[in-house]
Structures are given as C-alpha cells and as structure tokens.
C-alpha cells in the first residue's frame, strides 16, 4: 500500500497501519508496538500527505511516527513534567496562575505528537469532561472571580462537535468575570477540513474576547487546506496566536525557524510562544540545550520582522510555571551605575550611558 492509498482517508492509529502505509519498516514492528502500548498513535491523512517516505529525517514524520527511542526514559524525565496535577483543584481544571485557568475538555487528539508533555495522560478512550464533572469544573471557574481568562485545552478541544462547542461556549458566556477565552489546538493544521465557517462561529463566545492558539512546528505544515482553515478562523473574528516547540531534527535551525515564523505571520497568526521541550518520558531525542535554543532565537532578532519574534519559554518542571529564557542583548558593567553594553544584530557592542 502506498501513501496515497489510505483506506477511507482515516488516520493511521496502529503500528500495522504505519507499516502498511510505508511510514515504518516491518522489522520495527515489535519495538514500535511496545511504544504504542504505552503512548497513543495517530497520524491524520493531512499529515501523511506531507511526509516524504524516502527521507529518513523527514521533519513531519519525526513529529508523529513513533520511534523505538521512546522506550528509554531518562532519570530527569517525569510523567507530569509541568505539574498539572499539583494545580488541579477539580478534575478538568488546572489553576496555576492567579488570573487564568485551563479547562481540559477532552483527553484525545487528532494526532499524537511524539514529544507531547501530556503523553502519559492523553489518548483514545480517555474520558471527556461531561455531566457532573463538567458542572464541577465550570462551578469552580464561576466561583473564582480572579479568573479573567480561560484556556480550553486537553487533548485538543477542536475534536469536539460544533454542538458541544456551542454548549460549552454558552456556559462560559454566563460567567461575567471571564473576559478572555483562548482555545489551544492543532486541528487547523493537522485536520483542516474540520474548520468550517459554522465551526468558527461556534467558537465565538458573546461578550468575551476570543483567541485561538495554533500549534505548528514546521513551515511545511502550512498546506493550502491549513491556510484556508486559518483564514476561516481569522475571518470569523478570532485573534490567532502561535504555539511551537523547539525540536531537534524538526525546526532547530535558523532557516527552518525563520520560515516557520514567517508562515505564521503570513497567515495572520502572531508568533506567541516557542517552547523549550519539556522533560516528558521518552522524548530526549527532541531536546537541545537551553544555550543552543537561546542562540537560535537570538539569530531571529534583527533578521526577521518584529511581528515574527516569539517568546522563548521554559516551563519549570514540577509546576512552578513558565518563564521567558530568551537571549539578552544588554550587559552591564560590574560597577553600580556604570554604563551598559548593547549588542546589535551583527554582534557588535555599543556603549550605553548610565541613567
């Protein structure tokens, strides 16, 4: 079977399906089945079409096709690397920062990224937040007037139907102190056919500012269909911002990272966060050092439009929260009140007077 003979246009959700599609070698079957027994597998047709099966280093395949290296967990890797559980007062809610909270509506995704920081928690068969659990989560949000922003995540909330989205939107609209709603999703990129005009309208919540954080990691992910989906969301009035992860073998070079950020901006998506990879189990092959990441991000400044500059973010392990770890361009002399030195985009130092 070739890549263009996928039955029914269904996602590839098993090692056998990946092998049949030419995305994994038959001799890898046993090792990859051990990986799939622990971590969910799904590659949508939209992503399959982008993969070059003749390229062993294909950056799209690297993100979604399992690898035997995932069986190795390093001592520093932890099941809940950003500490969701420590800040979950009720099921489905993570309240880490005073003015915002996560609402995790589902635990499933259209694709499963091999570097996912919630890989121990997401997958097919995971319970959706419904009934009494959803009531309790919304009651918590309503009972905490300091919560100004709600971030809908999971899993991927865009796998829900427009009807379910409208139900949640209606209930959030009734909570007066929530002013901003942010949806986090991969769907416009990995399953763009789901983003219809009706779906985009369902995401709007009366009286609230609506943001959609779109996750993409490589410029090739911006297919014609993905670009159309992003346009549908933008035309419906949603403000689009980006989320990316800095990944070795995917985007950890100046040319690719620059093209990725430009692709976002060209599609009305403001670059927002570029995440340093989290310490999730079995993900060491994606991580680079913070120093390497800082050097890459530094290379963007002055060479790309200010619109194309993301904030390089580290999520401190254990739940202490996100901090910016971008490079600095200003260094001060040791003496108090002394002049500083400012580094320009060519690496040259310029004196800057005190005060």
């Amino acid at each position: 079977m070739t890549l263009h003979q996928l039955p029914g246009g269904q996602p590839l959700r098993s090692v056998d399906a990946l092998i049949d599609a030419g995305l994994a070698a038959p001799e890898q079957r046993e090792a990859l089945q051990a990986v799939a027994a622990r971590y969910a597998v799904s590659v949508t047709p939209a992503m399959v079409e982008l993969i070059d099966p003749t390229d062993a280093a294909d950056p799209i395949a690297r993100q979604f096709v399992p690898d035997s290296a995932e069986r190795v967990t390093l001592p520093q890797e932890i099941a809940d690397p950003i500490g969701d559980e420590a800040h979950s007062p009720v099921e489905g809610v993570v309240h880490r920062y005073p003015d915002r909270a996560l609402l995790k509506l589902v635990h499933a995704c259209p694709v499963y990224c091999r570097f996912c920081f919630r890989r121990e928690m997401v997958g097919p068969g995971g319970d959706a937040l419904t009934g009494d659990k959803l009531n309790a989560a919304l009651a918590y949000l309503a009972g905490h007037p300091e919560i100004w922003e709600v971030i809908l995540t999971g899993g991927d909330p865009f796998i829900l139907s427009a009807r379910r989205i409208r139900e949640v939107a209606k209930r959030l609209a009734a909570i007066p102190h929530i002013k901003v709603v942010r949806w986090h999703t991969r769907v416009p990129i990995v399953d763009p056919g789901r983003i219809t005009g009706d779906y985009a309208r369902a995401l709007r919540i009366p009286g609230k500012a609506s943001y959609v954080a779109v996750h993409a990691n490589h410029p090739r992910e911006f297919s014609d269909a993905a670009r159309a989906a992003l346009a549908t969301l933008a035309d419906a009035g949603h403000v689009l911002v980006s989320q990316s992860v800095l990944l070795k073998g995917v985007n950890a070079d100046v040319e690719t990272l620059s093209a990725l950020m430009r692709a976002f901006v060209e599609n009305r998506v403001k670059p927002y966060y570029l995440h340093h990879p989290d310490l999730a189990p079995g993900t060491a092959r994606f991580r680079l050092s913070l120093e390497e990441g800082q050097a890459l991000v530094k290379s963007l400044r002055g060479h790309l439009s200010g619109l194309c500059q993301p904030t390089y973010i580290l999520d401190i392990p254990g739940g202490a929260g996100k901090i910016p770890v971008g490079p600095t361009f200003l260094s001060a002399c040791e003496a108090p009140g002394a002049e500083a030195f400012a580094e320009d985009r060519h690496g040259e130092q310029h004196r800057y007077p005190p005060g």
Side-chain angles (χ1 to χ4, degrees):
M1 183 179 292
T2 68
L3 288 179
H4 300 288
Q5 294 173 329
L6 300 177
Q10 296 300 309
L12 305 180
R13 294 195 174 100
S14 71
V15 172
D16 287 342
L18 293 170
I19 292 172
D20 289 345
L23 297 184
E27 59 267 26
Q28 295 178 303
R29 191 186 309 269
E30 184 176 353
L32 295 184
Q33 284 177 338
V35 173
R38 180 172 180 181
Y39 305 120
V41 173
S42 181
V43 190
T44 56
M47 292 297 96
V48 170
E49 287 296 323
L50 296 180
I51 294 173
D52 178 359
T54 67
D55 181 3
D58 184 87
I60 310 301
R62 186 170 172 84
Q63 293 183 67
F64 305 118
V65 176
D67 189 283
S68 59
E70 297 176 51
R71 302 167 68 185
V72 179
T73 299
L74 301 184
Q76 66 267 35
E77 295 177 339
I78 50 180
D80 183 13
I82 69 168
D84 276 356
E85 189 62 34
H87 297 278
S88 184
V90 297
E91 185 173 344
V93 173
V94 178
H95 192 184
R96 182 178 289 110
Y97 304 101
D99 72 337
R100 56 203 182 277
L102 303 183
L103 180 59
K104 297 195 287 187
L105 293 175
V106 290
H107 290 90
C109 300
V111 294
Y112 293 103
C113 303
R114 310 323 301 169
F115 50 86
C116 178
F117 66 92
R118 291 195 178 113
R119 62 195 330 232
E120 299 276 7
M121 310 168 196
V122 299
D127 292 338
L129 202 65
T130 57
D132 290 342
K133 292 179 180 179
L134 178 60
N135 292 339
L138 290 168
Y140 179 88
L141 299 177
H144 287 262
E146 73 274 21
I147 297 176
W148 170 81
E149 178 184 21
V150 170
I151 300 160
L152 293 126
T153 182
D156 193 318
F158 279 23
I159 69 169
L160 296 174
S161 68
R163 179 186 63 80
R164 285 285 311 283
I165 290 290
R166 283 191 175 93
E167 290 173 359
V168 173
K170 182 178 179 180
R171 297 184 69 175
L172 288 172
I175 303 176
H177 56 264
I178 295 173
K179 303 298 183 184
V180 177
V181 175
R182 192 194 330 163
W183 306 87
H184 280 203
T185 183
R186 265 282 216 178
V187 165
I189 299 295
V190 303
D191 193 9
R194 291 187 61 86
I195 307 301
T196 64
D198 180 64
Y199 201 91
R201 289 188 293 273
L203 298 166
R204 294 192 305 217
I205 301 179
K208 319 295 183 188
S210 177
Y211 288 74
V212 177
V214 179
H215 181 172
N217 296 312
H218 194 275
R220 261 177 44 208
E221 295 175 46
F222 289 81
S223 64
D224 290 344
R227 291 171 183 267
L230 295 172
T232 296
L233 291 168
D235 290 345
H238 303 287
V239 179
L240 308 183
V241 297
S242 80
Q243 297 249 57
S244 300
V245 184
L246 189 58
L247 301 167
K248 187 182 293 185
V250 175
N251 57 23
D253 62 85
V254 174
E255 294 77 13
T256 304
L257 201 57
S258 297
L260 173 63
M261 295 304 148
R262 283 178 170 147
F264 277 127
V265 172
E266 290 165 8
N267 287 279
R268 292 183 279 176
V269 183
K270 175 67 181 78
Y272 179 43
Y273 277 166
L274 176 64
H275 293 270
H276 190 77
D278 294 307
L279 295 173
T283 63
R285 66 193 178 103
F286 290 105
R287 287 197 296 275
L288 64 169
S289 70
L290 278 167
E291 291 77 15
E292 289 172 316
Q294 288 172 328
L296 282 169
V297 173
K298 191 171 189 176
S299 70
L300 301 182
R301 180 62 61 178
H303 296 276
L304 288 178
S305 164
L307 290 173
C308 297
Q309 306 293 328
T311 299
Y312 186 32
I313 287 291
L314 173 68
D315 221 323
I316 300 172
K322 297 180 179 68
I323 58 168
V325 289
T328 180
F329 293 82
L330 191 69
S331 58
C333 296
E334 294 184 2
E339 64 187 359
F341 291 90
E343 182 180 337
D344 67 21
R345 65 187 180 92
H346 302 291
E348 296 181 5
Q349 299 286 331
H350 302 266
R351 295 178 181 274
Y352 190 82

